[in-house]
Amino acid sequence: MKEHRARKRFGQNFLQDRAIIQDIVRAVRPQFNDKVIEIGPGLGAITEPLVAAVQQLHVIEIDRDIVARLKSSPFVSKLVIHEGDVLEFDFASITGKKKIVGNLPYNISTPLLFRFGVYADDIIDMHFMLQKEVVERMVAATGTNDYGRLSVMLQYFFDMECLIDVPPESFKPAPKVDSAVVRMIPQKGRIGIAEDYAHFAALVKQAFQQRRKTIHNNLKDWADDPVLEDVGINPGDRPERISPEQYVALSNHLLEFDSQSE
Ligand code: SAM
């Protein structure tokens, strides 16, 4: 089969490093009967060892040429191939609890990560290769420079851990940035449950509208200072000083307030 030319528009940086591939599969710990979904199998670097471990592997791939290669691969009988854009894929169409894995195309990683929250109840765990800088933002502790909207919205659903640092030379072609593998495990209400998820999401978006301004300023149309203080928020703090728990509590408190004043 002729050599595949990597397509930039699909974020194709193929993993070459055997040791890293082994480390990823070891971290995923696939069991024979697990429902495993791989996003962007590409030329099969992670697909092959995964297929060897499980009964069946779902793969989601947008590149038609790659789909054609997968269809003529020796392990095709164990694959369920979903051709198309993962941003439009309905993960609920694969029933039951699942493990999701992928060396993700970096250009779509943030919108993709935002989509997983709604499926959290049906996810066992997820392991993703991402731009290191994105992983740092995902796992960032409250009060640090990297902490922002992405941290709050993902920490609301998942416990996350950076597992492996991966240098550019591990890929072909080599990306311009460092990469890292992150593990995401649904955390069941540990930081509280937002009564109205859409309200919570909108509140967090507004809170981080201008990072350098205080929470009092960013939320001036949403909450008066005494309301912020009710949930332990100092109105003079910047948005990165406020924990995911406090954002959840504030959202719930504001809704309670609204319903009382109706
Ligand atoms: N898993 C392979 C590896 O580790 O070598 C390939 C990883 S490469 C970084 C990303 C893969 O995702 C490519 O196969 C690419 O074609 C695919 N891809 C890119 N955008 C996609 C999308 N929107 N939906 C589904 N697959 C996509």
Side-chain angles (χ1 to χ4, degrees), residues 41-53:
L43 303 178
I46 317 174
T47 322
E48 284 194 40
L50 285 178
V51 153

Side-chain angles (χ1 to χ4, degrees), residues 15 30 41 45 76 82-83 99 105 113-114 142 159-160 192 194 198 201 218 231 247-248:
L15 254 175
V76 65
H82 305 270
E83 181 174 351
K99 289 166 90 78
L113 290 167
F114 271 110
T142 308
D159 283 326
M160 294 175 291
N218 282 329
V231 290
Y247 281 114
V248 172

Side-chain angles (χ1 to χ4, degrees), residues 17-24:
D17 188 326
R18 292 268 133 226
I20 299 282
I21 295 167
Q22 251 183 23
D23 286 348
I24 295 173

Side-chain angles (χ1 to χ4, degrees), residues 75-166:
F75 46 83
V76 65
S77 62
K78 286 178 108 184
L79 294 182
V80 181
I81 301 173
H82 305 270
E83 181 174 351
D85 186 346
V86 66
L87 289 175
E88 282 162 24
F89 187 76
D90 176 14
F91 285 86
S93 67
I94 300 171
T95 54
K97 295 257 180 196
K98 40 215 161 244
K99 289 166 90 78
I100 307 179
V101 184
N103 169 13
L104 297 184
Y106 295 168
N107 50 341
I108 61 160
S109 57
T110 322
L112 182 58
L113 290 167
F114 271 110
R115 290 193 73 223
F116 287 119
V118 296
Y119 301 113
D121 283 348
D122 274 335
I123 291 172
I124 299 170
D125 56 32
M126 305 195 281
H127 292 81
F128 294 132
M129 174 87 73
L130 291 159
Q131 220 171 303
K132 186 164 183 216
E133 176 247 311
V134 174
V135 173
E136 284 167 347
R137 288 199 279 130
M138 293 162 73
V139 304
T142 308
T144 61
N145 277 343
D146 288 327
Y147 180 80
R149 182 174 162 231
L150 187 72
S151 331
V152 177
M153 296 315 293
L154 293 181
Q155 289 173 24
Y156 175 67
F157 289 109
F158 302 102
D159 283 326
M160 294 175 291
E161 187 187 353
C162 178
L163 295 182
I164 313 167
D165 283 338
V166 187

Side-chain angles (χ1 to χ4, degrees), residues 35-78:
K35 268 189 187 161
V36 184
I37 307 173
E38 189 193 2
I39 299 169
L43 303 178
I46 317 174
T47 322
E48 284 194 40
L50 285 178
V51 153
V54 297
Q55 190 174 21
Q56 191 179 57
L57 179 73
H58 290 265
V59 293
I60 307 166
E61 176 58 64
I62 200 168
D63 185 329
R64 251 189 257 161
D65 291 348
I66 285 184
V67 169
R69 291 177 93 90
L70 290 168
K71 284 183 178 162
S72 59
S73 70
F75 46 83
V76 65
S77 62
K78 286 178 108 184

